Amino acid sequence: MPESAESPRGALSRQRIIRAAVELIERDGSDAVSMRRVAAALGVGTMSLYNHVPNKAALLDGVAEFIMADMAFAADPDAAWQDQTRALARTFRDIALRYPRSVLVVTTRQPRSTVGLQPVEIALAAVRKAGFDDRVAVRLVRTFVGFILGSLIHQVSVAEAGTAGLDAVDKAALVAALEQAQYTNVRDLLPVLAEHDHDGDFEFGLELLIGAMQSLPRDG
């Protein structure tokens, strides 16, 4: 049952509106978000939202800030840059798994507050402290974000496929088709391809990237 604006949880506020939008995005996707639907979820009139959030764009900006602010970055600034990188990447992945659909909203909107830019500041500080020049520092941060989002999309797609994935296909027919197409490597590795160790894959990729970083030139 929708909660009223005067429910025990408190009066209508920007924070409650943003949280309702996040819940709606996680359930139905960002395309489903509208001021009307958020108001309905809160059990209030649509016009009452405009006292706190002027429009849908501001609502989505608020969602992006909410997600970024929820990242509890615990990287020790005195730790080696490799350890800082691991901590930051794992934290970003954790929040991405908690809010997979909302994180995609974050990536499509420019942060408009210091709250939204805090994780970027921490990540850039870590790579610059390691001695990478400015352009490389920015590219490294973008590369890690791309890697984390890619692993998230893969994990979510596997989960949503469920029994419709590789495990559910007719193995004999698939092997025959692969042999006919001379896809011998795919045929030989079908059992491995059917496995999904998301945590293991992420850690493997993370260490691969850190190893690549170590080979890049640095100042000092």
Side-chain angles (χ1 to χ4, degrees):
M1 179 177 179
E3 57 183 340
S4 70
E6 300 299 328
S7 70
R9 292 182 60 187
L12 189 64
S13 66
R14 182 176 184 275
Q15 183 179 23
R16 284 187 60 206
I17 294 169
I18 299 302
R19 286 183 177 274
V22 170
E23 292 173 3
L24 182 60
I25 290 170
E26 291 306 316
R27 186 177 67 246
D28 300 327
S30 60
D31 290 342
V33 173
S34 67
M35 301 293 274
R36 179 184 60 79
R37 290 197 62 182
V38 172
L42 291 169
V44 300
T46 302
M47 295 305 297
S48 64
L49 269 60
Y50 291 98
N51 294 323
H52 307 277
V53 182
N55 49 48
K56 180 179 176 180
L59 178 65
L60 293 177
D61 286 341
V63 168
E65 292 174 12
F66 173 85
I67 299 302
M68 299 297 270
D70 197 37
M71 292 186 184
F73 284 106
D76 181 357
D78 297 323
W81 67 263
Q82 295 93 333
D83 292 332
Q84 289 190 56
T85 301
R86 292 184 182 97
L88 293 170
R90 289 166 181 162
T91 298
F92 188 17
R93 179 177 184 246
D94 287 344
I95 198 73
L97 291 174
R98 199 180 313 159
Y99 303 107
R101 290 181 167 179
S102 297
V103 161
L104 296 179
V105 173
V106 173
T107 63
T108 61
R109 308 195 72 77
Q110 292 295 325
R112 301 173 188 272
S113 73
T114 55
V115 173
L117 289 169
Q118 182 191 27
V120 179
E121 169 66 19
I122 296 172
L124 287 173
V127 291
R128 292 184 78 190
K129 184 178 179 180
F132 297 104
D133 68 39
D134 294 350
R135 189 172 297 278
V136 171
V138 171
R139 284 175 171 168
L140 283 171
V141 172
R142 288 174 176 167
T143 297
F144 273 88
V145 170
F147 161 66
I148 295 166
L149 290 177
S151 66
L152 168 69
I153 292 171
H154 175 70
Q155 183 167 347
V156 170
S157 66
V158 169
E160 291 182 349
T163 56
L166 191 57
D167 292 333
V169 303
D170 183 333
K171 295 294 196 311
L174 177 57
V175 168
L178 291 171
E179 289 179 344
Q180 183 175 4
Q182 297 185 341
Y183 291 172
T184 56
N185 293 292
V186 176
R187 179 202 63 198
D188 294 344
L189 297 177
L190 270 180
V192 181
L193 289 169
E195 297 173 358
H196 298 290
D197 178 9
H198 299 297
D199 292 340
D201 289 345
F202 176 81
E203 291 297 326
F204 178 85
L206 178 58
E207 294 305 317
L208 197 66
L209 286 175
I210 291 174
M213 286 177 68
Q214 292 179 143
S215 68
L216 294 174
R218 299 196 296 277
D219 297 332

